[in-house]
Amino acid sequence: MLLRPLLDRALPRRLLGSLLLLPALAQANALLQPSPLPLQYPPFNAIADADFAPALSAGMAVQRREVAAIVANPAAPSFENTMEALERSGRLLNRALTVLSSLNGADSNPERQRLQREFAPLLAQHRDAIALNPGLFQRIDALHRQREQLRLNPEQRRLLERRHADLLRAGAQLPPAAQARLRAINVELSRLGADFNQKVLAEVNASALTVATREELAGLSEAQIDALRQSDGRYRLPLQNTSGQPLLAQLSHRPTRERLMQASLSRNARGDGNDTRELISQVLRLRAERAALLGHAHHADFTLETETAGSTATVNALLAQLAPAAVASAKKEAAALQAQLEKDHPGATLQAWDWAYYAEKERAQAYGYDESQLRPYLELNSVLERGVFEAAKRLYGLSFKRRPDLPVYHPDVQAWEVLGPNGKTQALLLVDLYARPSKRGGAWANAYVGQSHLLGTRPVVGNHMNIPKPPAGQPTLLTWDEVNTLFHEFGHNLHTMLSDVRYPSQAGTAVPRDYVEFPSQVNEMWQTWPSILANYARHHQTGEPMPQALLDKIAAAKRFNQGFATTEYLAATLIDQHLHQLKADQIPNASALMDTEAQVMKAHGFDTVPVPPRYRTPYFSHIMGGYAAGYYAYLWSEVLDANTVEWIEQHGGLNRTTGERMKRFLLARGGTEDPMVLFQQLVGHEPKLGPYLNRRGLVTAQP
């Protein structure tokens, strides 16, 4: 109902029908035509915020006409005139929406946020107008019923079967009244999702901790303290999106640690304009209602139907098996940290804000090193070029060339050309690693342009982190976790860059949510692979390699603090599953939401250790986005990852043969085949839990 008025405001109706025939208008708006830059790389320097509304409006109108033409085609449905025509549709809309969404994540501003809020419900209506188009479903359903006789190749058959299933899951066969309610739910969920993202970004900035004196920052280096100093002479400690904050590992001033942790844990639940509890309660209720409309017991049941795990029973059983082992391991770690704490604060009890600090002390005592000894050897450019890029070169034959001629959306962003083994351009890569107030928290990879033989496109991808930027002239020295994250996110980039499929909806990371993290987690293994680690871990001043003794200590400490890491992750996962396994009338209201979270923690024994969930519900962005009822995906993917690492270690390790096998069975195939079939083709057997348990140092009832 709201679509047409905004379309009229954003672009006069008389122009919509002939938009692509107006060169002057198209030239004035860089989004209304394909980019002239290599691989259709976005012309950031030519895109103005005022361009988005006309481009989005025109994109929706054009795609609606494209779909109408498919439905009105008098010829009998064929794969080419229906499925391939649908794959070709929506390119203008996708171009504009991809750039706006990417910028709202990486470099937002009030105008882009306004556009996101205004267009979110319109885009939801647009998607439903296509998914619930009865004529389109009839054509696809006819093809689906004839699929045995159509002589489709495996890629085509999977595309048809998945598209048909997606339309059914979107409500294509619901009665009109149920479809109307479903449309209303989707519009409201899109609006609430946009509001949530903006509240979380606003709150992470508003909740930054300010301290008055350098003494309160004891434990940090002088360079770190100087980087935190504000123009008024005070010191601002910005927050990252997780519950735990990296500076907690260094701050020796316990009151500052407590204030920093409390600032983090109280985010979006302080009763102000950024409080998200009521919003989350509404989202959970609407998701549960939608699942019931579509014939499912709850939202988790609906979500897991298409994941590789297959059912809530499978996920619940795995979590129930691992939770006690994780808590038991965390309790052992906590006892050691308590002993460290009492040396500094006799009679004190270990709290959440103490864990990271005393874990570093325990690591130094048990393994002979701490984080401060590593950082001088972990300079950003060396890690990126001599580590991340070098591993990709040795595995896949890729090489990387800076492209300073390509425009970027922020001065901190670097553009790279990725060359394949044949020396030809494989992809373009934007590297955006520094934190800033306009950037959402966390780390992520994205695709500005996907790979498709049908469309003749090659990938343009982004890699994003939130590393604190040092003062001008000083090196960027990473933490060990930041190095791990860089390898992880580049694994997603590889999944997109090495894609080799025909249809855009099957390209790269277009795989089940509990499989998409698998390739990126495998790529983490090269962080500690001896030849790669020795190549990038060099002192930022002298260029000397990290001493072998220190490299050996890192290897020996691989299982250190894994009880904590597993516990904080499982706590968040169990909260996600609990909330999404409730029916609509069981959803807690805003005032009861945090009590529900506490009950989940207690039910699984997590209240017995001072380890908060990796994300608390009010700022749990994963479950407000694509990981709703799916945060377990990191665990599921790590099981596959651990099996794969074991196979790689047993079959030659880091070499082109390994890379070609990884590309063939994992990275190039995208969503063209059942992912578990691809996994078994890669490693030669079904996934086993043992390699994961061994990696984490956990003991459960299952060997």
Side-chain angles (χ1 to χ4, degrees):
M1 181 174 64
L2 298 176
L3 180 61
R4 174 54 59 188
L6 184 59
L7 288 180
D8 289 340
R9 288 203 308 275
L11 195 68
R13 182 167 11 188
R14 66 182 181 275
L15 295 183
L16 289 174
S18 57
L19 174 67
L20 301 183
L21 302 178
L22 296 176
L25 180 60
Q27 289 175 7
N29 185 329
L31 293 168
L32 293 178
Q33 56 189 340
S35 170
L37 298 177
L39 276 55
Q40 299 182 35
Y41 178 100
F44 294 109
N45 58 332
I47 298 172
D49 287 346
D51 293 339
F52 287 113
L56 291 169
S57 298
M60 287 187 285
V62 169
Q63 189 175 26
R64 292 281 281 272
R65 289 202 303 276
E66 291 168 335
V67 171
I70 295 171
V71 173
N73 191 334
S78 68
F79 192 88
E80 291 73 18
N81 70 21
T82 301
M83 299 305 300
E84 288 197 348
L86 192 57
E87 288 288 298
R88 293 180 189 275
S89 74
R91 298 188 71 182
L92 169 56
L93 175 60
N94 183 64
R95 180 166 61 245
L97 183 57
T98 296
V99 175
L100 177 61
S101 299
S102 299
L103 291 181
N104 256 322
D107 193 26
S108 192
N109 63 34
E111 175 60 14
R112 292 168 187 169
Q113 292 180 345
R114 183 192 67 78
L115 288 164
Q116 183 183 43
R117 290 193 302 271
E118 191 167 46
F119 272 92
L122 305 181
L123 290 163
Q125 289 178 331
H126 173 74
R127 288 188 290 267
D128 279 342
I130 295 173
L132 300 178
N133 184 311
L136 182 64
F137 178 74
Q138 287 171 12
R139 292 182 73 90
I140 294 176
D141 188 51
L143 292 173
H144 188 260
R145 285 185 275 106
Q146 302 167 33
R147 62 192 182 279
E148 300 294 345
Q149 292 78 43
L150 293 178
R151 297 183 180 178
L152 304 175
N153 63 39
E155 199 170 338
Q156 292 172 324
R157 176 154 182 158
R158 184 162 179 84
L159 176 65
L160 174 59
E161 290 177 345
R162 291 307 316 148
R163 180 74 74 175
H164 186 263
D166 289 344
L167 292 180
L168 291 176
R169 285 169 56 80
Q173 289 192 314
L174 289 179
Q179 282 193 356
R181 178 57 187 155
L182 191 66
R183 291 173 190 261
I185 289 173
N186 289 339
V187 166
E188 184 64 7
L189 284 172
S190 69
R191 184 188 67 79
L192 292 170
D195 286 349
F196 176 87
N197 290 336
Q198 293 178 17
K199 288 177 184 292
V200 167
L201 177 60
E203 181 74 349
V204 80
N205 288 320
S207 296
L209 178 64
T210 299
V211 301
T213 66
R214 297 178 78 90
E215 289 72 24
E216 293 170 281
L217 300 177
L220 303 186
S221 69
E222 290 300 312
Q224 285 178 296
I225 295 174
D226 288 341
L228 299 174
R229 185 181 173 88
Q230 303 299 292
S231 58
D232 63 0
R234 297 191 300 170
Y235 302 87
R236 183 177 184 272
L237 284 65
L239 298 183
Q240 294 196 12
N241 63 330
T242 51
S243 294
Q245 299 298 312
L247 292 179
L248 291 170
Q250 295 178 258
L251 288 163
S252 59
H253 192 256
R254 195 178 188 221
T256 302
R257 291 202 307 269
E258 180 177 1
R259 290 178 60 200
L260 182 59
M261 177 59 87
Q262 294 293 10
S264 177
L265 295 178
S266 65
R267 276 177 289 161
N268 298 107
R270 298 187 296 158
D272 59 8
N274 291 329
D275 197 307
T276 61
R277 288 174 293 178
E278 177 59 35
L279 185 156
I280 290 170
S281 182
Q282 292 178 46
V283 166
L284 293 170
R285 197 170 293 111
L286 289 169
R287 286 175 177 166
E289 182 186 353
R290 181 175 61 184
L293 278 173
L294 293 167
H296 293 270
H298 40 63
H299 182 74
D301 183 52
F302 170 74
T303 295
L304 290 166
E305 179 184 53
T306 57
E307 300 299 308
T308 60
S311 69
T312 54
T314 300
V315 173
N316 289 345
L318 180 61
L319 297 179
Q321 181 179 356
L322 292 177
V327 172
S329 181
K331 284 182 177 179
K332 291 180 181 178
E333 293 170 1
L337 303 188
Q338 176 67 40
Q340 294 280 357
L341 171 68
E342 289 182 350
K343 294 176 184 177
D344 294 336
H345 303 280
T349 300
L350 186 74
Q351 301 293 339
W353 49 87
D354 297 316
W355 192 294
Y357 180 74
Y358 286 100
E360 281 303 304
K361 282 182 171 289
E362 181 67 15
R363 187 190 340 241
Q365 182 172 306
Y367 297 99
Y369 81 95
D370 60 25
E371 186 78 45
S372 66
Q373 292 172 268
L374 301 184
R375 293 187 68 168
Y377 296 93
L378 304 178
E379 191 274 326
L380 174 59
N381 292 322
S382 180
V383 173
L384 179 66
E385 298 179 43
R386 300 175 60 90
V388 174
F389 289 173
E390 181 65 20
K393 176 182 178 181
R394 298 187 194 182
L395 279 169
Y396 308 111
L398 302 178
S399 57
F400 301 82
K401 182 174 68 173
R402 282 289 306 274
R403 289 294 302 269
D405 57 305
L406 293 175
V408 292
Y409 54 83
H410 190 278
D412 288 340
V413 180
Q414 296 179 0
W416 293 81
E417 182 176 1
V418 184
L419 305 173
N422 59 5
K424 296 182 179 180
T425 302
Q426 179 86 23
L428 293 171
L429 167 68
L430 289 92
V431 178
D432 179 5
L433 303 182
Y434 288 121
R436 51 182 169 268
S438 62
K439 192 179 194 180
R440 72 177 174 89
W444 70 96
N446 70 313
Y448 288 93
V449 181
Q451 178 271 329
S452 167
H453 295 306
L454 177 71
L455 303 181
T457 55
R458 284 174 288 167
V460 178
V461 302
N463 186 305
H464 308 268
M465 288 178 60
N466 271 277
I467 299 167
K469 188 175 183 180
Q474 295 192 18
T476 303
L477 304 180
L478 305 184
T479 67
W480 191 240
D481 282 346
E482 287 167 343
V483 175
N484 180 264
T485 299
L486 190 52
F487 275 89
H488 176 96
E489 296 305 331
F490 193 73
H492 288 306
N493 293 149
L494 287 167
H495 202 174
T496 301
M497 294 191 299
L498 297 178
S499 177
D500 187 16
V501 305
R502 178 168 175 77
Y503 301 109
S505 65
Q506 294 180 320
T509 57
V511 296
R513 182 63 68 181
D514 60 1
Y515 192 81
V516 75
E517 298 296 337
F518 166 38
S520 56
Q521 290 181 200
V522 172
N523 203 60
E524 294 175 23
M525 73 177 291
W526 310 119
Q527 176 188 10
T528 55
W529 194 259
S531 63
I532 296 297
L533 178 57
N535 198 54
Y536 73 77
R538 294 176 176 271
H539 198 281
H540 70 97
Q541 291 176 321
T542 67
E544 290 295 314
M546 184 181 287
Q548 186 61 47
L550 189 51
L551 294 173
D552 292 342
K553 291 172 183 178
I554 293 172
K558 283 201 297 187
R559 292 182 180 174
F560 178 74
N561 212 36
Q562 285 302 304
F564 171 89
T566 309
T567 297
E568 69 160 359
Y569 168 75
L570 286 176
T573 302
L574 286 160
I575 291 168
D576 170 33
Q577 284 300 316
H578 177 84
L579 293 174
H580 287 110
Q581 290 183 27
L582 299 175
K583 298 181 185 298
D585 60 359
Q586 299 173 323
I587 300 297
N589 58 31
S591 62
L593 194 62
M594 304 316 295
D595 289 340
T596 300
E597 179 181 292
Q599 291 163 12
V600 174
M601 296 282 286
K602 184 175 182 179
H604 294 277
F606 290 98
D607 63 327
T608 62
V609 288
V611 181
R614 184 166 176 80
Y615 302 95
R616 299 195 76 192
T617 306
Y619 52 88
F620 202 166
S621 294
H622 283 76
I623 66 170
M624 290 297 293
Y627 286 81
Y631 192 62
Y632 78 94
Y634 291 91
L635 165 61
W636 191 264
S637 290
E638 191 176 350
V639 172
L640 305 181
D641 154 36
N643 280 257
T644 304
V645 168
E646 182 179 75
W647 182 91
I648 291 172
E649 291 173 340
Q650 295 170 356
H651 291 82
L654 181 71
N655 55 49
R656 293 283 285 115
T657 301
T658 297
E660 284 303 307
R661 187 176 179 90
M662 290 279 290
K663 180 179 177 181
R664 178 184 175 190
F665 292 119
L666 182 57
L667 301 173
R669 303 288 290 279
T672 60
E673 193 168 343
D674 183 327
M676 295 311 293
V677 171
L678 294 176
F679 169 79
Q680 291 184 43
Q681 289 174 341
L682 176 64
V683 302
H685 58 75
E686 293 185 352
K688 304 171 184 177
L689 192 56
Y692 170 82
L693 298 176
N694 181 59
R695 170 188 291 184
R696 291 281 183 168
L698 302 177
V699 178
T700 75
Q702 179 171 333

